Amino acid sequence: SQTIHQWPATLVQPVGSPLSLECTVEGTSNPNLYWYRQAAGRGLQLLFYSVGIGQISSEVPQNLSASRPQDRQFILSSKKLLLSDSGFYLCAWSVAGTAHLDFFGQGTRLTVV
Amino acid sequence: DAKTTQPTSMDCAEGRAANLPCNHSTISGNEYVYWYRQIHSQGPQYIIHGLKNNETNEMASLIITEDRKSSTLILPHATLRDTAVYYCIVRVRNNAGNMLTFGGGTRLMVKP
């Protein structure tokens, strides 16, 4: 069966520090991978999606970047965090060629102080 | 993607059916209706989806009106663990490039 792992679960980082959140998927090949952010009391906002290794599409301009170094690995990064980067970050995957999202990670709650 | 409208919050007694409405009057012919829920501080959980016909699975039933402009998610016997925010989304299924956009959803509170 397919599983998705996302870590860490919680993170407190100072302003200006770097960020690296990792997401890996098991049990499937060539998945579409996604990073979402949810601000407090708000809906989910799509940040990045990837349909293959090295292929990254960004939905909104921001202080963040994403990379997909391996087929089932998706990384969210920042060189210098801002206070506004605080939020709940979710990784998700779907079967290649579809947007039918069956699986989300458990999320990372990032607090920038 | 078509916009959806859901009530902000609803209450339901434990053991009773929870009926969560969703309006999607601008839905296109190739857009599916998806329902997800999000329990506090967890990732969204897929519940069910449909195109035209009513659907049922182990979690819920989805009733879509004939004109497809609205739908209702039914949890037949709500439990306290069903307390969550429920999101109704409409979108094309085979398009990875324009992803699911979650609106505010309906906050369902199941009470004993």
Side-chain angles (χ1 to χ4, degrees):
Chain A
S1 63
Q2 302 91 349
T3 56
I4 181 168
H5 301 281
Q6 184 182 343
W7 67 94
T10 60
L11 191 60
V12 179
Q13 292 284 95
V15 169
S17 65
L19 172 74
S20 181
L21 302 181
E22 189 163 345
C23 172
T24 59
V25 180
E26 295 178 0
T28 187
S29 296
N30 193 33
N32 297 325
L33 296 172
Y34 310 88
W35 277 111
Y36 282 87
R37 177 171 59 197
Q38 186 174 36
R42 307 284 296 276
L44 289 170
Q45 177 188 37
L46 177 64
L47 301 176
F48 300 96
Y49 69 91
S50 172
V51 298
I53 296 174
Q55 301 179 60
I56 308 295
S57 297
S58 175
E59 288 295 298
V60 294
Q62 61 222 320
N63 184 42
L64 302 167
S65 62
S67 62
R68 185 170 178 174
Q70 300 181 43
D71 180 46
R72 291 170 288 179
Q73 183 185 30
F74 205 24
I75 299 172
L76 183 69
S77 304
S78 173
K79 293 182 179 179
K80 290 184 178 182
L81 284 169
L82 306 172
L83 288 174
S84 57
D85 292 325
S86 294
F88 190 49
Y89 289 83
L90 286 154
C91 179
W93 74 275
S94 67
V95 174
T98 79
H100 184 169
L101 274 181
D102 286 331
F103 298 102
F104 280 82
Q106 286 304 296
T108 297
R109 185 160 301 282
L110 171 67
T111 303
V112 181
V113 297
Chain B
D1 292 338
K3 181 180 178 180
T4 62
T5 305
Q6 298 177 254
T8 303
S9 63
M10 292 181 62
D11 290 343
C12 178
E14 187 179 17
R16 304 295 295 269
N19 298 294
L20 294 99
C22 180
N23 288 323
H24 31 79
S25 58
T26 59
I27 190 171
S28 301
N30 61 347
E31 288 183 312
Y32 286 72
V33 180
Y34 284 82
W35 282 85
Y36 289 80
R37 72 180 182 184
Q38 187 175 21
I39 297 171
H40 182 63
S41 294
Q42 296 183 23
Q45 177 189 23
Y46 164 81
I47 301 174
I48 199 167
H49 76 283
L51 183 62
K52 297 180 181 178
N53 300 323
N54 298 337
E55 302 288 340
T56 296
N57 62 21
E58 65 278 4
M59 290 183 66
S61 295
L62 174 61
I63 308 299
I64 303 174
T65 58
E66 190 171 347
D67 63 6
R68 302 209 322 125
K69 293 185 177 182
S70 65
S71 61
T72 301
L73 179 74
I74 301 173
L75 307 178
H77 306 286
T79 70
L80 299 179
R81 288 175 295 179
D82 292 322
T83 293
V85 178
Y86 287 77
Y87 296 99
C88 169
I89 301 156
V90 293
R91 64 163 284 100
V92 176
R93 177 170 179 160
N94 294 320
N95 184 352
N98 189 9
M99 263 313 306
L100 293 167
T101 301
F102 291 73
T106 295
R107 186 171 298 277
L108 176 68
M109 180 71 71
V110 180
K111 298 182 176 180

